[in-house]
Amino acid sequence: MQSVLILLGPPGAGKGTQAVRLSSALSLPHVSTGDLFRENLKLGTPLGEKARGFMDAGRLVPDELVIDMLFDRVGRADCRGGFLLDGFPRTVAQAAALDARLNGAQVRAINLSVADAAVVERLTGRHTCRACGNVHHERFSPPAKAGVCDRCGGALYQRPDDSRDVVEKRLAVYREQTKPVEAHYRSRGVLSEVDGARKPDDVYTALLRAARGEVR
Ligand code: AMP
């Protein structure tokens, strides 16, 4: 049976970082709609051009664009056994479209919660590698050499949507449009809660247990 794991939670909760580890532990491909959009932006595709304005403003890209892009990705051979979603669904309409598409898959959603003040601190201090996507933080994980990625030597930059006012906007959008997605999965009995404010290793252990259905 196809196994689908969904990571919910505000921007900056650590979904991306944790998804990389979970993906390899659970042998599920990591599918991040934010990464897919950034790839399209980098390649200058028409989809990237359509998404750019929404992303830079901290708003959601319209559902139909996101859903088509996501379904295209999860329709590939590597997702046949299942996949791990990071950053999708972000609206109730996206969750309903995913339900209709999955039909019969084993779905588990985990809500990674982090307080607003911590989100602002995490995101506004974040420096992302242009080449490999690795993330440094000016306080929590500074690079050995300013502006240079420890992992690959690529140039670090601040994502335009990690500036303070855009982060505030993303949080407001999260509260209005994404928070209701939790109830969607809770009412189906497939939602677990994990406190994302703890140390990354502790969060990872809790996520792994929830993903394996060992705790609710
Ligand atoms: P992320 O890297 O997940 O924070 O995504 C970056 C940006 O991409 C978001 O602020 C949105 O503009 C857009 N985006 C990513 N995933 C979605 C989604 N599921 N629905 C709508 N917009 C999205």
Side-chain angles (χ1 to χ4, degrees):
M1 194 201 296
Q2 207 182 27
S3 166
V4 176
L5 181 63
I6 300 170
L7 288 187
L8 299 174
K15 299 188 295 294
T17 310
Q18 297 290 352
V20 171
R21 287 182 77 179
L22 287 172
S23 153
S24 97
L26 301 168
S27 301
L28 292 175
H30 172 201
V31 177
S32 153
T33 42
D35 285 350
L36 291 173
F37 280 128
R38 279 183 290 278
E39 258 168 55
N40 275 279
L41 276 178
K42 211 154 109 181
L43 296 172
T45 67
L47 176 62
E49 285 314 310
K50 281 186 204 152
R52 184 192 302 276
F54 296 101
M55 294 174 75
D56 286 353
R59 293 170 54 204
L60 294 185
V61 177
D63 283 337
E64 59 280 9
L65 295 180
V66 189
I67 291 169
D68 281 354
M69 176 182 74
L70 190 271
F71 284 2
D72 179 57
R73 173 66 191 88
V74 302
R76 298 205 203 135
D78 63 328
C79 291
R80 208 174 294 140
F83 46 89
L84 192 171
L85 288 176
D86 156 17
F88 185 97
R90 261 175 156 103
T91 64
V92 172
Q94 290 176 16
L98 183 66
D99 283 351
R101 160 97 184 196
L102 290 179
N103 181 28
Q106 187 194 5
V107 175
R108 170 139 298 276
I110 309 178
N111 186 42
L112 194 54
S113 54
V114 175
D116 285 6
V119 165
V120 173
E121 186 182 26
R122 286 180 182 190
L123 292 184
T124 56
R126 191 156 88 155
H127 296 277
T128 305
C129 176
R130 241 182 237 294
C132 74
N134 184 31
V135 176
H136 282 281
H137 189 280
E138 59 194 18
R139 262 192 59 205
F140 308 134
S141 55
K145 189 169 168 220
V148 180
C149 174
D150 278 2
R151 192 160 78 184
C152 79
L156 299 177
Y157 78 115
Q158 186 184 47
R159 277 172 43 177
D161 56 344
D162 282 345
S163 66
R164 177 171 272 273
D165 45 335
V166 179
V167 167
E168 303 279 0
K169 175 70 187 165
R170 287 164 73 194
L171 274 170
V173 166
Y174 166 76
R175 277 191 292 272
E176 282 159 30
Q177 295 181 261
T178 307
K179 205 65 188 142
V181 174
E182 287 167 32
H184 179 92
Y185 291 106
R186 191 176 294 114
S187 70
R188 285 160 178 72
V190 298
L191 183 75
S192 307
E193 296 282 345
V194 166
D195 174 7
R198 290 173 295 167
K199 284 194 290 227
D201 282 350
D202 296 342
V203 174
Y204 172 67
T205 307
L207 284 172
L208 204 52
R209 294 189 65 200
R212 291 181 168 147
E214 293 166 12
V215 284
R216 271 293 155 86

